[in-house]
Amino acid sequence: MLWIILAQMQWRQVTTQERPWKMKRCFSRSTSRGRKGSSETGLKLGTVPQEALRRTLFPLGELTKDFVKKIAAENRLHHVLQKKESMGICFIGKRNFENFILEYLQPRPGRFISIEDNKVLGTHKGWFLYTLGQRANIGGLREPWYVVEKDGAKGDVLVAPRTDHPALYRDLLRTGRVHWIAEEPPAALVRDKMMECHFRFRHQMALVPCVLTLNQDGTVWVTAVKAVRALAPGQFAVFYKGDECLGSGKILRLGPSTYTLQKG
């Protein structure tokens, strides 16, 4: 019912005559040209094909989440107001992530190893249970350690002390072939082989200034103006120029960490 009320107020339809469809940076889960709120649609729609976007409806338009809740209150839709924000991996719910994954994958025991001195700090049930940047729960250690690298062949997870350890920071990555939303690829990037823009790879993170370098196979090198924490292969880098979402590419390869560069 809420979306019907909102649709009557502001119904945005993208028609087949609007070619190509350029997606502005979005800040609400249900808007195409939204304002700042608590989620980021651009990060999710960066891989949607142009053919689908031309026929996409955005009934919430530019409405923020707070304003939507205000409308819900005025129309006594209390179940909307009481609904909690979704956190983490929604389809897992309140279940333990490690236990959930191990229902589908066989344990592959390995070691936690300090990246500073190669000391073995503990053991784990599988390197695939961890992502770069997360805290590693290592039994018997009081101080927090964080995942900085993973060796799938050996099964080792390399960790570092402190959440701001330089081993967590990198300023270079390479994506797979980029999915461009409006132009494939942007004319400026084709002409100059390089282009300044911004990117993000995680929900709600601040946009990071960067320079894209176009490769012949359609992949790009992304050089961040400053090192970024916890870049991870498998995530998607989403690119922006001003308020426009240009597209996205899957992160396939990372450059050396700040720690590695400091060590020479």
Side-chain angles (χ1 to χ4, degrees), residues 35-227:
R35 299 168 186 166
K36 189 171 182 181
S38 59
S39 64
E40 174 54 59
T41 305
L43 195 63
K44 301 173 180 64
L45 297 183
T47 59
V48 177
Q50 179 68 218
E51 188 64 22
L53 288 174
R54 291 188 185 118
R55 294 168 172 80
T56 301
L57 302 176
F58 292 96
L60 298 188
E62 299 180 352
L63 304 182
T64 64
K65 185 173 295 185
D66 289 340
F67 190 69
V68 171
K69 289 184 176 181
K70 180 181 177 182
I71 296 173
E74 292 172 351
N75 289 272
R76 300 180 181 179
L77 300 177
H78 301 295
H79 64 284
V80 176
L81 300 174
Q82 296 170 357
K83 187 176 180 180
K84 295 182 179 180
E85 298 286 343
S86 60
M87 300 293 180
I89 304 178
C90 59
F91 60 85
I92 291 180
K94 296 182 179 180
R95 286 177 291 182
N96 178 274
F97 175 77
E98 180 175 309
N99 294 339
F100 175 81
I101 294 298
L102 291 177
E103 290 179 11
Y104 300 91
L105 298 177
Q106 291 294 323
R108 294 182 59 183
R111 304 173 297 173
F112 286 115
I113 298 178
S114 168
I115 197 169
E116 294 187 339
D117 57 13
N118 292 321
K119 180 180 178 180
V120 177
L121 302 176
T123 60
H124 58 78
K125 295 181 181 179
W127 59 270
F128 49 78
L129 296 171
Y130 301 90
T131 189
L132 302 188
Q134 82 169 86
R135 181 172 176 174
N137 293 319
I138 306 175
L141 299 182
R142 292 184 177 181
E143 299 298 323
W145 290 72
Y146 297 86
V147 177
V148 296
E149 290 184 31
K150 299 188 295 182
D151 188 332
K154 296 181 179 179
D156 293 333
V157 174
L158 279 65
V159 294
R162 307 193 321 272
T163 186
D164 61 347
H165 193 281
L168 285 164
Y169 289 82
R170 289 175 167 81
D171 62 5
L172 181 65
L173 65 92
R174 184 170 182 166
T175 73
R177 185 176 181 86
V178 176
H179 167 74
W180 302 105
I181 293 176
E183 295 180 272
E184 189 165 337
L189 184 56
V190 173
R191 182 184 66 246
D192 302 329
K193 304 302 179 184
M194 300 178 70
M195 183 179 72
E196 294 182 355
C197 63
H198 290 76
F199 84 104
R200 63 157 54 98
F201 61 93
R202 191 171 56 243
H203 169 64
Q204 286 190 323
M205 71 174 289
L207 289 173
V208 178
C210 67
V211 175
L212 303 185
T213 303
L214 182 63
N215 301 311
Q216 290 184 346
D217 59 359
T219 65
V220 297
W221 283 102
V222 183
T223 305
V225 171
K226 63 178 181 179

